Amino acid sequence: MERHIKVARAHRALSWLYLVIIALLVVLMVSQPDAIGPATVGPLILMSALFLAHHMTARGARQSRPWARRCSIVISVLLLPGFPIGTLIGVYLLCNTWRPWQADVAVPAAA
């Protein structure tokens, strides 16, 4: 499997994880309206930004875009201090983004 596809799948899985967390925060806010405040809105905004970063990086990585590779490197370096899971994910992403990706080669159609 191509390295950019592996990276795209990892970022897509992380974006789904953040989406689940966002849904749980929204459920918490709806079920307890008194709990709405900086303690819930701040994490909601942070999780939304992380979801968007992973989602856009996954889309770019699937298309083997150079900007997605650089973005993935930045994200993976930021994940490294999150021992142990963040470190494992960060190392996995770094291993698959360290060398430049090859552009997808179109297979010619049979005549």
Side-chain angles (χ1 to χ4, degrees):
M1 183 183 309
E2 297 290 326
R3 289 181 291 127
H4 66 93
I5 299 297
K6 290 179 182 179
V7 170
R9 287 182 176 178
H11 282 294
R12 187 175 55 197
L14 289 170
S15 71
W16 276 100
L17 173 68
Y18 288 120
L19 192 61
V20 167
I21 294 171
I22 290 168
L24 290 175
L25 286 173
V26 168
V27 167
L28 173 72
M29 292 172 72
V30 169
S31 67
Q32 297 179 358
D34 297 337
I36 297 175
T40 54
V41 175
L44 184 65
I45 292 171
L46 176 66
M47 294 299 152
S48 299
L50 291 171
F51 164 76
L52 198 59
H54 283 288
H55 182 71
M56 296 306 295
T57 303
R59 290 183 65 147
R62 176 145 318 268
Q63 298 170 357
S64 191
R65 302 275 190 219
W67 63 264
R69 184 179 155 267
R70 290 189 297 271
C71 187
S72 185
I73 290 172
V74 169
I75 290 171
S76 62
V77 168
L78 292 174
L79 283 171
L80 289 175
F83 184 79
I85 303 298
T87 303
L88 292 173
I89 295 170
V91 167
Y92 177 78
L93 289 173
L94 277 176
C95 288
N96 286 301
T97 57
W98 200 250
R99 289 178 282 146
W101 294 331
Q102 304 223 346
D104 285 336
V105 178
V107 177

